[in-house]
Amino acid sequence: MLFKSAPKHHSHEEDSPARNRHAAAIRCLLVVRAFLRNGISSGLANHVMLLLTWMGLRAEDLLTMHRIHSRMKNFFDAAMVNPSRFAPSCVSLVSTVIAIGTSIAFVGVVGLVGAGAANAQSTSAAADADSELSKPNYDPDLDSWVFSAGLEVGASGYRPKADMTASELDPDAPRAVNISDERDGPLQIIPDRFDRSNVISALVGANFEVMAPRFVDSPWMPRPFMDLNVSAVLTAEVPIVRDGRPEPNQYAIDLESRLDPQGESLILGTGSEATAQEQGPAIFLGFGAAFTFDLESGSRLRVKPSFVYSRTIVEVSGLAARAVREQRNTGALGLGAFRFITLREDFSEVYHGIGPAIEFELDTNNRVGPFEMSVFLKGHANHVLGDRDTRLQQNNPEFPTEFARWRYRHEPWTYRVSTGVRFRLVGKK
C-alpha cells in the first residue's frame, strides 16, 4: 500500500453524507498523487476513474489534474538537478503546499457537487409531492394498503332438479290378497316422480377486505383488492319433488274415510320426497380491481369487478314412507294390520364454484376514529364446478330387495345478492 488511512475517531454525532464524501475525496487525491508520481497502471487508473466519477468528477477534470501535476513534477525535477537554484527543503515545502491547496480545491468541488445533487433531489421530491396533491382524485389511502371489515347480509338462490323411483314390493313379503286399486297402493313402493323447485337461502356473515395501493396512475385510480365473506346460512328444507305427505313418525288412520274395508291409501303420513337444504358456513373469496369515481356531492364511488371462488354445502335428503296391508278382513283396521316401510337417506354435498361479481361501494364520509364507513351492494353469479349429480339409495333391511332411489341435480349457475356496511382503516385525518 502507498498510504495508510488514519485511525477513525467516533463522535456522538452521526457522520453526514457530505463529510463522508469529503473524506473520500481527500483519500482519492492522495491515491492519485501517489500513482501519478510513481506511474499508474491501466487497471488502477480505471478504479480511480470510477471512484472520481461516483463523486461527480468528470474525466476531463482528472486529465487536467494529471497535466498540472506533470508540469509541477517536471519543474521540481529540474529544480532538483540544480540545487543551487532550489534547495531540496524548498521543493518539499512547495510540493506540500501545492498538494494541500489542490486537496482543498478538490474537496470544495466535490462538496459543491454533493450539495447541488442533494438540493436537486429535495426539489424533485417536493415537486412530486405538490404534483400528487394537485391530482383531482387524490386521497391519502391511494398509495397505502387499506384493511377493512364489516357486516354483510344477502340471499342466494338456484333452481335444482330431482327425481325418485323405487322397486316393487317383495313378493315374499306378507300382503293381503284382497288388494283393491281404490283403497290400496300400487305394487311399486313409491311412484316415479320428477320435478324442480327454487331454493332460496338467507346469508348473514362477516366481510373482510384488503386493498392494495394503486398500480396505474390514471383518472380511475385502479387498485387491486381481495375480499373474503364467511356467512351463516338461514334456510328451511325445501322439497324438490314430492308425492303425498311423508311423515314416518306420525302414521295414523284416516277416521273420516267411508271406505270399507279400510286400505293402504287411508294411512296418513305416507308418501315420498327428495329435499335440499343449504348448510353453512358459505365461503366466498374474491379477487379484482377497484375503480374510483368522485361524485359531485363530494362522495367517492368505487366500482369493483372481480372473480369469486365459492364453497357451499347442500344437504340432500330422500324419504319414502309406505304402508302395506297384511290382514284380510272387511272391518275397521288398526295400525297393527299394516307393515310400514320407511326408507331414508341423506348426504351433504360440497360444491366449489367460480364466477364474476360486481360491487358498488360508496363512502359515507362518516368516520369512527381511524375508520371510514362505507356501504356496498354486490351481485355475484357462480358457476358450479365438477359433478353436480347426487344419487341416493336405501334398501329395506327387513326385505333387501325393496329399495327406494333418489337423484338430485344441482343447477349449474347459482346467484347471490348482498349488501352491507364496511369500516375501512384509513388513519386519522
Side-chain angles (χ1 to χ4, degrees):
M1 278 185 74
L2 298 178
F3 68 93
K4 185 175 182 180
S5 61
K8 296 181 180 179
H9 298 279
H10 298 280
S11 64
H12 296 290
E13 298 181 359
E14 185 178 354
D15 291 343
S16 65
R19 184 178 301 175
N20 292 337
R21 288 202 172 191
H22 293 168
I26 293 174
R27 293 192 183 95
C28 180
L29 181 63
L30 293 177
V31 173
V32 173
R33 183 175 179 274
F35 284 158
L36 292 175
R37 174 178 293 179
N38 298 280
I40 182 170
S41 66
S42 60
L44 293 175
N46 290 335
H47 289 295
V48 172
M49 185 68 71
L50 289 175
L51 180 59
L52 293 174
T53 302
W54 173 78
M55 291 189 299
L57 200 63
R58 298 175 302 173
E60 291 81 0
D61 300 328
L62 181 59
L63 294 176
T64 301
M65 290 178 58
H66 176 66
R67 293 191 189 100
I68 294 173
H69 190 277
S70 298
R71 292 177 183 177
M72 295 300 298
K73 183 176 182 297
N74 294 335
F75 176 80
F76 287 122
D77 287 343
M80 292 299 296
V81 173
N82 193 352
S84 62
R85 295 181 59 186
F86 299 95
S89 57
C90 293
V91 173
S92 300
L93 177 61
V94 174
S95 177
T96 303
V97 171
I98 292 176
I100 294 174
T102 308
S103 300
I104 293 173
F106 184 77
V107 170
V109 171
V110 173
L112 290 174
V113 171
N119 258 346
Q121 185 176 5
S122 175
T123 304
S124 174
D128 290 344
D130 292 340
S131 173
E132 187 70 21
L133 288 172
S134 65
K135 292 180 180 179
N137 286 342
Y138 176 81
D139 71 27
D141 75 341
L142 286 177
D143 295 313
S144 60
W145 292 82
V146 176
F147 300 87
S148 62
L151 175 67
E152 183 173 355
V153 296
S156 66
Y158 56 96
R159 188 174 174 82
K161 305 173 184 177
D163 60 73
M164 54 189 180
T165 187
S167 66
E168 295 183 349
L169 295 172
D170 191 333
D172 296 331
R175 192 182 188 193
V177 295
N178 58 339
I179 297 298
S180 168
D181 293 338
E182 181 182 3
R183 60 178 179 265
D184 296 306
L187 186 60
Q188 190 176 9
I189 295 178
I190 57 174
D192 294 343
R193 292 287 186 270
F194 168 83
D195 205 350
R196 63 188 309 170
S197 183
N198 296 321
V199 177
I200 307 295
S201 303
L203 304 173
V204 179
N207 179 279
F208 306 94
E209 183 183 80
V210 178
M211 187 173 290
R214 57 180 173 177
F215 61 91
V216 174
D217 189 7
S218 73
W220 295 347
M221 300 298 179
R223 304 175 64 184
F225 73 92
M226 177 190 74
D227 71 338
L228 171 67
N229 171 254
V230 181
S231 293
V233 180
L234 308 177
T235 185
E237 190 174 15
V238 179
I240 310 302
V241 58
R242 170 180 280 182
D243 179 72
R245 298 187 62 181
E247 297 178 357
N249 297 326
Q250 300 181 17
Y251 287 125
I253 296 178
D254 185 2
L255 300 179
E256 297 181 0
S257 172
R258 298 180 179 276
L259 293 179
D260 186 21
Q262 295 175 326
E264 299 170 354
S265 61
L266 304 180
I267 302 297
L268 302 178
T270 61
S272 57
E273 64 180 6
T275 63
Q277 183 177 19
E278 198 165 357
Q279 304 288 325
I283 300 174
F284 305 93
L285 179 64
F287 299 89
F291 298 90
T292 304
F293 300 89
D294 287 329
L295 305 180
E296 294 182 358
S297 62
S299 298
R300 173 157 290 174
L301 174 68
R302 280 179 290 273
V303 180
K304 300 158 69 176
S306 62
F307 280 96
V308 178
Y309 160 80
S310 66
R311 180 185 182 274
T312 56
I313 305 172
V314 177
E315 183 178 18
V316 181
S317 300
L319 173 63
R322 171 70 186 271
V324 179
R325 185 162 60 93
E326 295 182 324
Q327 293 185 7
R328 177 184 176 184
N329 61 12
T330 57
L333 301 178
L335 292 180
F338 295 88
R339 174 173 69 95
F340 294 98
I341 303 175
T342 304
L343 304 177
R344 186 197 304 268
E345 183 68 12
D346 54 65
F347 184 78
S348 292
E349 194 79 65
V350 178
Y351 295 99
H352 302 274
I354 189 170
I358 184 72
E359 177 184 316
F360 299 93
E361 182 180 20
L362 179 67
D363 291 342
T364 63
N365 296 325
N366 295 323
R367 298 177 63 89
V368 181
F371 295 94
E372 182 179 55
M373 190 173 68
S374 65
V375 293
F376 62 91
L377 177 66
K378 181 186 298 183
H380 171 214
N382 178 59
H383 180 68
V384 179
L385 305 175
D387 187 10
R388 296 179 287 111
D389 284 358
T390 301
R391 292 176 172 84
L392 305 176
Q393 179 174 319
Q394 181 64 44
N395 292 68
N396 184 3
E398 186 178 2
F399 299 97
T401 59
E402 299 177 342
F403 67 84
R405 186 178 295 150
W406 305 266
R407 178 173 175 262
Y408 170 84
R409 184 170 179 81
H410 198 75
E411 188 75 359
W413 286 93
T414 64
Y415 303 94
R416 175 174 64 106
V417 61
S418 62
T419 185
V421 59
R422 184 177 286 136
F423 296 91
R424 306 176 70 244
L425 181 61
V426 295
K428 296 183 179 180
K429 288 188 177 180

